[in-house]
Amino acid sequence: MTENMWVYRETSGRLRGVDLTGYKVEATDGSIGKVDKHSDEAGSAYIVVDTGPWIFGKEVLLPAGTVSRIDPDDEKIYVDLAKEQIKNAPEFHREKHLESSDYHTELGTYYRSGVPFGGPHI
């Protein structure tokens, strides 16, 4: 796979520098929560989604490549994942994420196992 899942797709990356915190996140089959944190750092961009009561307050990190589009007017982010994929994703741990490159590898393995990352990247 040559696509980099840690890079926003061309169709969603036009909003670099915009604060996405608080944007609602929509899976392919419904709402999953709100953006708690995000990064548009080159080569390691992501959003952290607080799923709230939907899956008992779990936070998950979604690589930028899972974002299919961003709607700034409605403050929504659309991802190419089903709720079940997000529910089963490794939980986001701030300490683990900030200190370990193994965490990116673990997430990459999970999301590559059945998540489409096609389309042009910037």
Side-chain angles (χ1 to χ4, degrees), residues 9-66:
R9 299 177 195 182
E10 186 175 319
T11 56
S12 62
R14 294 188 182 116
L15 297 172
R16 289 207 189 270
V18 172
D19 185 5
L20 302 175
T21 304
Y23 275 42
K24 292 179 183 174
V25 181
E26 297 286 327
T28 57
D29 55 352
S31 179
I32 59 161
K34 291 186 177 185
V35 175
D36 182 52
K37 175 184 167 112
H38 71 97
S39 169
D40 60 4
E41 187 175 322
S44 63
Y46 61 85
I47 60 173
V48 175
V49 180
D50 180 351
T51 61
W54 174 61
I55 50 175
F56 308 107
K58 179 178 174 180
E59 286 187 324
V60 292
L61 186 144
L62 303 180
T66 63

Side-chain angles (χ1 to χ4, degrees), residues 9 14 19 30 39-40 44 49 57 66 68 73-76 84-85 89 91 95 99 102 105 108 117 122:
R9 299 177 195 182
R14 294 188 182 116
D19 185 5
S39 169
D40 60 4
S44 63
V49 180
T66 63
S68 58
D73 296 328
D74 287 338
E75 294 190 352
K76 287 186 179 179
E84 193 68 20
Q85 290 172 296
E91 187 167 359
E95 304 80 29
E99 297 175 8
D102 291 340
T105 302
F117 289 103
I122 55 172

Side-chain angles (χ1 to χ4, degrees), residues 60-119:
V60 292
L61 186 144
L62 303 180
T66 63
V67 175
S68 58
R69 77 181 167 98
I70 300 172
D71 183 339
D73 296 328
D74 287 338
E75 294 190 352
K76 287 186 179 179
I77 296 175
Y78 296 85
V79 296
D80 283 341
L81 300 168
K83 286 181 172 184
E84 193 68 20
Q85 290 172 296
I86 295 163
K87 182 179 179 180
N88 294 328
E91 187 167 359
F92 174 69
H93 299 282
R94 291 183 192 277
E95 304 80 29
K96 191 175 181 182
H97 172 249
L98 297 174
E99 297 175 8
S100 173
S101 62
D102 291 340
Y103 187 63
H104 269 194
T105 302
E106 178 185 354
L107 286 172
T109 300
Y110 176 78
Y111 288 113
R112 279 192 184 101
S113 67
V115 178
F117 289 103

